[in-house]
Amino acid sequence: MRLLTHNMLSSNIKGVVNGFPLKIEVVKVVEKEVDFNIDFLKNMFHKVEWKALAEASRTMGYTELPENVDAAMLDSDDFLHKFHHALLELHLEEGALVCPETGRKFPVQKGIPNMLLHEDEV
Amino acid sequence: MLNSTCYSTSSIQSLNPTCPSSLISTLHKPEIHYISQNTRTRIVTYNTKRRRRRMASVAAMNAVSSSQEVGVQDQKELKKGIAELYDESSGIWEDIWGDHMHHGYYEPQSSVELSDHRAAQIRMIEQALTFASLNEDATKKPTSIVDVGCGIGGSSRYLAKKYGAQAKGITLSPVQAQRAQALADAQGLGDKVSFQVADALNQPFPDGQFDLVWSMESGEHMPDKEKFVGELARVAAPGGTIILVTWCHRDLSPSEESLLPEEKELLNKICKSFYLPAWCSTADYVKLLQSNSLQDIKAADWSENVAPFWPAVIKSALTWKGFTSVIRSGWKTIKAALAMPLMIEGYKKGLIKFAIITCRKPE
């Protein structure tokens, strides 16, 4: 699971008011190289929840992302490469996503999150 | 040009055959749009700007929910069965049929070679997009797509590639999700497409994320149609499109409370083998979409355009490779294979319909 995906997942347990963002528990992180695409990054920049991405990236062991950003940073090649790396190249292979309100853990195995709810959570 | 059989004039007059007659008079007459005179294709468009929308919503819940009482424990069993069936059989399906786990779209009455089926499956995707008016304007491309009941990700990858979009697929089957991701990575789409094990009745996404919500032949597995449609509507972005292609039973006539006993019996046999909950009709889906305030609802019956499919699947299962693969896969796969002639029977009797229903979420 890469952080682009994490940025779009939320806990949908019944009664949870704000299930986003999910916290990350890391067991295994893998880095996979992805082609650099400036247009894609500039597009995604406006769509991602930055704080969630920055926090998730730190949890995954990559601390290079700035806490606060603005669109002017898109002119910086250095920034774009860091954004690219965090968003697309860090993969949580094994671990869990944790509901921010209930603490319930959604397992991530072989890079695939399992977001199925138990009967008492629907 | 391909013909598709849509609602006949008489059913259009009755609008929603499962609606109580008192409701029919409060609803607008639908507009019938002729897509193209020379295909003689008619599509029923349901005008959703109704004053009595709340009444429609209540009727929709009553009409559909009474047939949907699948208890929580049953739902759990069903979902487990679905996951296991696909964990067991996806591999052999992919081996023989490729990565699209849906019907092909054919000229009615045509006879097709096995090699044509893959092209027909692609045609099905393209026809569905055209029906939803997503193939017209190159500037109106979806950028964020969810594939609800994604199988091994055939549609997700195809749509992501076609539109250069991000796609997320959800499935109950961990084996399918793994395979889907592996195929995406192998095809260089790993940065565009991702897959999660998740329940279509509780999609793990915040509201309004996707400008295309795609459900290709998964609706028939959903035990709570109301919740299923509610989730499709919830995750659709304002202005987004929902495309639902699914197996339905025939619409009921105004005098009918339910299907005939022999019809129910046939569907029950199919349900047991394919891990399906109770079926609903196309009209039921339309009502649910209406009750979610969705607009530009269009529906059509493509049963004639998928007729060659099941005979072809049966034929492929009877080849040496097919037969041995089915036997080796496991009991669930064998049972499903044995139920295939029942699908043909259902279609021939006009009981089973291959339906497409599309709509748009208001801006």
Side-chain angles (χ1 to χ4, degrees), chain B residues 36-343:
Chain B
S36 160
Q37 290 296 347
N38 55 1
T39 62
R40 286 155 51 220
T41 299
R42 277 178 297 150
I43 292 171
V44 181
T45 305
Y46 294 84
N47 185 338
T48 58
K49 286 195 179 143
R50 304 184 188 282
R51 285 188 214 104
R52 308 269 181 100
R53 198 179 294 147
R54 208 173 291 163
M55 271 185 79
S57 147
V58 169
M61 307 311 179
N62 288 339
V64 181
S65 61
S66 59
S67 64
Q68 293 307 319
E69 270 129 33
V70 184
V72 171
Q73 184 56 24
D74 291 334
Q75 278 201 28
K76 187 179 169 196
E77 296 283 326
L78 177 71
K79 286 172 193 178
K80 186 161 173 279
I82 293 168
E84 286 170 0
L85 171 65
Y86 287 112
D87 277 353
E88 208 186 83
S89 62
S90 287
I92 89 154
W93 179 271
E94 187 189 343
D95 210 25
I96 298 175
W97 279 81
D99 64 346
H100 292 294
M101 299 178 75
H102 60 248
H103 287 57
Y105 186 98
Y106 312 88
E107 295 254 0
Q109 319 292 333
S110 61
S111 67
V112 216
E113 295 301 318
L114 191 59
S115 53
D116 296 334
H117 292 291
R118 183 147 177 102
Q121 288 175 314
I122 305 286
R123 234 174 6 250
M124 174 61 75
I125 299 178
E126 289 290 340
Q127 287 288 332
L129 294 170
T130 302
F131 187 84
S133 310
L134 282 180
N135 255 337
E136 297 165 353
D137 189 347
T139 60
K140 286 202 196 127
K141 298 193 299 183
T143 57
S144 172
I145 301 168
V146 65
D147 184 355
V148 180
C150 61
I152 51 175
S155 291
S156 301
R157 288 186 299 273
Y158 184 88
L159 294 169
K161 216 160 131 187
K162 177 182 169 87
Y163 292 117
Q166 284 286 313
K168 296 231 166 343
I170 56 174
T171 169
L172 289 176
S173 162
V175 167
Q176 283 187 334
Q178 286 289 341
R179 183 64 185 146
Q181 194 64 62
L183 286 168
D185 293 343
Q187 292 171 21
L189 292 167
D191 56 336
K192 284 200 159 47
V193 191
S194 72
F195 297 94
Q196 289 79 43
V197 175
D199 186 350
L201 300 189
N202 284 288
Q203 292 193 34
F205 309 113
D207 301 355
Q209 289 285 329
F210 304 103
D211 44 28
L212 173 56
V213 177
W214 176 268
S215 171
M216 170 62 74
E217 290 195 55
S218 60
E220 49 273 16
H221 282 295
M222 308 301 169
D224 184 336
K225 306 297 187 206
E226 194 182 320
K227 203 132 188 259
F228 167 54
V229 173
E231 282 292 274
L232 297 178
R234 180 180 72 79
V235 302
T241 302
I242 298 174
I243 298 180
L244 173 55
V245 178
T246 185
W247 309 352
C248 295
H249 68 61
R250 63 172 177 82
D251 287 347
L252 299 179
S253 68
S255 55
E256 284 182 303
E257 288 275 323
S258 67
L259 295 172
L260 302 168
E262 56 268 27
E263 289 177 319
K264 288 191 201 175
E265 205 186 305
L266 177 57
L267 291 184
N268 276 339
K269 283 189 208 159
I270 295 171
C271 288
K272 283 197 174 64
S273 300
F274 287 171
Y275 290 92
L276 306 178
W279 295 51
C280 69
S281 67
T282 308
D284 290 331
Y285 272 118
V286 169
K287 274 182 287 177
L288 285 171
L289 293 167
Q290 285 168 338
S291 73
N292 277 275
S293 309
L294 296 160
Q295 292 173 344
D296 299 337
I297 302 173
K298 292 189 276 190
D301 175 2
W302 284 358
S303 304
E304 271 192 23
N305 301 98
V306 302
F309 181 75
W310 286 105
V313 180
I314 291 174
K315 209 164 148 192
S316 72
L318 292 175
T319 59
W320 180 246
K321 178 178 181 179
F323 182 76
T324 52
S325 305
V326 167
I327 300 292
R328 266 202 318 265
S329 291
W331 182 232
K332 285 187 166 68
T333 308
I334 295 169
K335 266 185 13 188
L338 289 172
M340 296 192 292
L342 298 176
M343 287 299 294

Side-chain angles (χ1 to χ4, degrees), chain A residues 47-110:
Chain A
K47 292 183 181 167
V48 298
E49 282 284 328
W50 188 264
K51 281 208 157 24
L53 176 65
E55 170 73 39
S57 172
R58 269 199 302 279
T59 313
M60 303 272 274
Y62 184 67
T63 52
E64 303 289 313
L65 285 188
E67 273 305 304
N68 297 301
V69 289
D70 60 68
M73 291 170 156
L74 293 173
D75 295 326
S76 156
D77 207 47
D78 182 61
F79 171 76
L80 284 173
H81 275 90
K82 287 176 177 164
F83 179 35
H84 167 83
H85 185 69
L87 192 69
L88 297 172
E89 295 187 323
L90 298 174
H91 286 261
L92 183 67
E93 277 292 301
E94 306 287 332
L97 299 175
V98 186
C99 173
E101 276 187 28
T102 66
R104 150 70 147 118
K105 298 187 189 183
F106 296 96
V108 177
Q109 288 163 315
K110 298 186 193 166

